Amino acid sequence: MSANQQRVCPVANGHGSNGVATESREEFLAHFKRPDLPSRCTWAVGTSEPSPHHHKPLMPRPKVMTTILEAVGNTPLVKLNKIPQLAGLKCNVYGKCEFLSAGGSVKDRIGLRMIEEAERKGLLKPGYTIIEPTSGNTGIGLALGAAVKGYRCIIVMPEKMSNEKVDTLKALGAQVIRTPTEASFDSQEGLIAVAQRLEREIPNSIVLNQYTNEGNPLAHYDGTGSEILDQLEGKVDMVVVGAGTGGTVCGIGRKIKETHPDCIVVGGDPEGSILAEPEELNKTDVNFYEVEGVGYDFIPTVLDRSVVDRWVKFNDKQALPMARRLIAEEGLLCGGSSGGNVIVALMAAKELKEGQNCVVILPDNIRNYLTKFVSDNWMEARNFKTSENVHNHSWWNNSISTLNLRTPITVGLDVCLQEVMDIMKTNSINQLPVMDRDGTIKGMAFLPNVMSKLLNRLAKPSDPVSRAVFKKFVKVDRNDGLGHVSRILEQDPFVLVVQKEKKFTDGTNFELRETVVGIITQRDLLDYLSTSENLVNDVAKLNLH
């Protein structure tokens, strides 16, 4: 492990929950650079004005490369066969395999392009530090460029994102700082504000800022869009692109519409995001989604929604199983957002005729999600896949209530970490639910997570437990069966058992509230099986065979 990976950031000894020094609200507002300001770009469909941007010609991939950066882009276009056929589509559907780029995602393109544009303008010089707020893939693209070119790299990303992304970034020599998943884009605790604060504190550093950087859509205008036109010899009737920052969809859309204005550009947006138009499409009670790298709670500057002809929403229960189908049925080792894009394509392309061509972007690969949707346990734990009693366990359908659950000890957000550790030691437990004042579950105090925060100087024993809240845990309803729970506990050390209650806000309206009923650990389940007739019955069945 390199020194950069171990070193705590110079401003990471402060008091923020992510380990970054805090500042007053007034200081924050004075410095915060919004990522959703209107674009100053004057491009419009049909414009005849010359481009004010620096463009790069489309170049074939060299047979022998001087560095891995020459393997960014120039990805293949692969026809999908079984899935479109089973959906009854008449048109051709092609996947643009961005997961085969050097760093494993479509974001390699913008990472390299933003670095090159900053170098060309003199904004990035030898010895500088690159800082970026990202959901992970842009960070990997930047870290790849930084590793080859010799820059230091700091990536700020939400806790929701996979550990595989974190490990890949660290392997590339980048430093990673995590921020709360629920923090809004304009929050002091959010990834954008934290990245900007680091830039102010670290000499010779720069936030390239994918949300406003012209190199983001330019990478897809000069690269991805041009490649699609070249690969299909201009015969593109529809292109389907999931929107995150929006640089991919508007960059590709602008390039194709210049010569093929009738091509339909379809934007995919997850439920819980607000990027789609009209606004009515965004109305939902979803406030969290598992699919990574798409959707936002603001409209990034680089997202030109005038390029998109139609928006289609999708959700986790559609996207993640479809991603598994792309792997199993088409042999495409792509990520969860690829599943979302294909779901959108299957809906949008129904209107296309035989012989017409639909291109769907497949943004990244499965490397980032091996412990997430690629795992059967993970899919079953989140009810994206049915837990099957393949071994005919006699206890499989027993209710959780048969475990004789004990009401767990809980702590408030302001209880200090030292007191939390004392409670754990006294009661011989490793986890405590953390509740806010109105009884809402904010997360868990989990011993390994607390220890990690303390050892890495991201928290002190005197800090409140809110600085070390663990949120990567699974909740189950008290009416769930033990079979489902057992599949979760094969990988997770515990599950939180909750029951939902209606809390009326007036005579007719109510909100659903979750009450903590208990915690089931791996040992709890093992004790239940070993001290009951269940295990005996299962062993007897094995002996009969």
Side-chain angles (χ1 to χ4, degrees):
M1 183 176 286
S2 70
N4 277 355
Q5 290 171 255
Q6 299 179 44
R7 187 184 305 129
V8 175
C9 180
V11 294
N13 294 317
H15 304 289
S17 65
N18 46 36
V20 178
T22 57
E23 56 190 357
S24 70
R25 182 68 181 172
E26 291 73 21
E27 290 174 317
F28 165 67
L29 292 174
H31 293 296
F32 185 61
K33 301 172 185 175
R34 295 187 66 88
D36 59 345
L37 296 175
S39 174
R40 292 176 294 179
C41 181
T42 58
W43 186 94
V45 177
T47 183
S48 59
E49 295 295 321
S51 172
H53 303 296
H54 170 71
H55 290 280
K56 297 176 63 177
L58 184 63
M59 301 291 290
R61 179 173 285 193
K63 294 181 179 179
V64 178
M65 304 177 189
T66 55
T67 75
I68 192 62
L69 300 182
E70 292 181 6
V72 171
N74 277 306
T75 56
L77 201 63
V78 176
K79 187 175 183 180
L80 304 188
N81 297 291
K82 298 177 184 177
I83 292 175
Q85 185 177 18
L86 288 171
L89 296 189
K90 297 179 180 179
C91 65
N92 300 313
V93 179
Y94 298 94
K96 181 66 169 161
C97 298
E98 292 300 291
F99 61 89
L100 295 177
S101 184
S105 89
V106 66
K107 296 294 190 175
D108 295 348
R109 297 177 185 266
I110 74 169
L112 180 58
R113 185 61 179 265
M114 291 193 300
I115 288 175
E116 291 177 339
E117 289 295 311
E119 289 175 331
R120 188 177 64 83
K121 296 175 181 178
L123 301 174
L124 184 57
K125 301 175 183 178
Y128 271 43
T129 297
I130 296 170
I131 303 169
E132 188 69 13
T134 168
S135 59
N137 280 329
T138 299
I140 291 171
L142 286 170
L144 189 74
V148 173
K149 291 173 173 286
Y151 299 113
R152 185 186 175 201
C153 186
I154 300 175
I155 300 302
V156 185
M157 60 191 293
E159 293 172 337
K160 159 187 168 180
M161 305 310 164
S162 69
N163 288 330
E164 288 90 338
K165 288 180 180 178
V166 175
D167 291 340
T168 301
L169 285 164
K170 288 181 177 180
L172 284 167
Q175 181 179 344
V176 180
I177 292 176
R178 310 299 291 271
T179 59
T181 295
E182 70 275 10
S184 62
F185 80 94
D186 55 356
S187 164
Q188 286 177 259
E189 293 285 297
L191 71 165
I192 295 172
V194 169
Q196 292 178 10
R197 203 178 310 152
L198 288 167
E199 182 185 35
R200 293 194 297 272
E201 296 290 336
I202 299 175
N204 298 326
S205 65
I206 181 173
V207 174
L208 295 176
N209 197 352
Q210 59 181 320
Y211 307 106
T212 62
N213 195 307
E214 65 189 31
N216 182 348
L218 279 175
H220 300 293
Y221 178 92
D222 291 340
T224 325
S226 297
E227 291 170 23
I228 292 170
L229 288 170
D230 179 66
Q231 288 166 323
L232 288 176
E233 299 179 345
K235 299 174 183 178
V236 187
D237 301 287
M238 176 179 287
V239 61
V240 178
V241 190
T245 63
T248 309
V249 66
C250 73
I252 293 173
R254 286 177 173 182
K255 183 63 180 182
I256 293 177
K257 281 184 175 292
E258 277 187 346
T259 54
H260 298 75
D262 294 332
C263 177
I264 302 169
V265 177
V266 181
D269 191 39
E271 293 177 6
S273 169
I274 66 162
L275 301 184
E277 290 184 309
E279 181 58 33
E280 290 74 30
L281 288 176
N282 299 319
K283 292 181 179 179
T284 178
D285 57 359
V286 174
N287 52 30
F288 175 85
Y289 49 91
E290 294 283 0
V291 175
E292 299 183 21
V294 285
Y296 275 106
D297 60 344
F298 66 96
I299 310 299
T301 297
V302 298
L303 174 54
D304 179 5
R305 295 192 289 181
S306 72
V307 179
V308 180
D309 297 298
R310 184 187 314 159
W311 288 92
V312 178
K313 305 290 280 193
F314 64 88
N315 58 46
D316 288 337
K317 288 194 174 183
Q318 297 170 311
L320 298 176
M322 178 55 73
R324 291 286 296 261
R325 287 187 62 192
L326 285 168
I327 297 168
E329 298 175 33
E330 302 285 354
L332 301 172
L333 301 179
C334 50
S337 60
S338 298
N341 288 353
V342 170
I343 286 290
V344 171
L346 295 182
M347 290 189 276
K350 288 180 180 179
E351 66 188 54
L352 297 186
K353 302 174 183 177
E354 189 172 351
Q356 290 188 296
N357 297 325
C358 171
V359 175
V360 55
I361 304 299
L362 306 179
D364 68 355
N365 65 30
I366 66 170
R367 176 199 64 206
N368 293 335
Y369 314 105
L370 293 177
T371 57
K372 286 198 156 188
F373 83 90
V374 181
S375 162
D376 284 344
N377 295 75
W378 190 93
M379 290 286 281
E380 291 173 17
R382 287 150 184 83
N383 294 315
F384 299 137
K385 186 176 186 292
T386 302
S387 299
E388 297 181 7
N389 188 9
V390 294
H391 298 295
N392 296 317
H393 291 302
S394 58
W395 47 266
W396 188 267
N397 294 318
N398 289 357
S399 171
I400 285 174
S401 60
T402 60
L403 288 178
N404 191 25
L405 294 173
R406 299 181 301 274
T407 302
I409 301 168
T410 64
V411 294
L413 284 167
D414 55 352
V415 175
C416 74
L417 286 171
Q418 183 61 61
E419 187 175 351
V420 166
M421 290 186 288
D422 291 341
I423 294 172
M424 288 181 178
K425 181 178 180 180
T426 301
N427 293 276
S428 300
I429 54 178
N430 289 341
Q431 53 279 316
L432 291 167
V434 179
M435 320 289 286
D436 66 10
R437 294 183 185 277
D438 67 357
T440 301
I441 305 165
K442 303 305 290 184
M444 298 292 289
F446 184 43
L447 185 58
N449 187 58
V450 171
M451 183 175 68
S452 175
K453 294 285 186 180
L454 294 172
L455 291 177
N456 288 289
R457 295 186 179 182
L458 297 177
K460 303 187 297 293
S462 58
D463 285 340
V465 70
S466 57
R467 303 271 166 82
V469 172
F470 180 72
K471 296 179 181 177
K472 291 187 176 181
F473 64 94
V474 179
K475 292 183 290 187
V476 296
D477 187 87
R478 68 177 305 168
N479 296 316
D480 268 357
L482 288 180
H484 181 211
V485 171
S486 71
R487 292 294 283 154
I488 300 169
L489 292 176
E490 284 183 45
Q491 289 191 332
D492 290 23
F494 68 91
V495 296
L496 190 65
V497 184
V498 299
Q499 66 178 8
K500 294 183 179 180
E501 300 174 339
K502 292 181 180 179
K503 181 179 179 180
F504 282 85
T505 54
D506 55 40
T508 56
N509 297 313
F510 64 88
E511 58 184 24
L512 285 176
R513 298 287 299 276
E514 288 182 333
T515 303
V516 178
V517 177
I519 297 173
I520 306 174
T521 66
Q522 292 171 334
R523 178 161 293 281
D524 290 330
L525 183 62
L526 183 61
D527 287 346
Y528 170 79
L529 296 179
S530 61
T531 58
S532 71
E533 295 180 0
N534 294 304
L535 194 60
V536 175
N537 291 338
D538 283 345
V539 171
K541 287 181 181 179
L542 288 174
N543 290 334
L544 288 174
H545 294 286

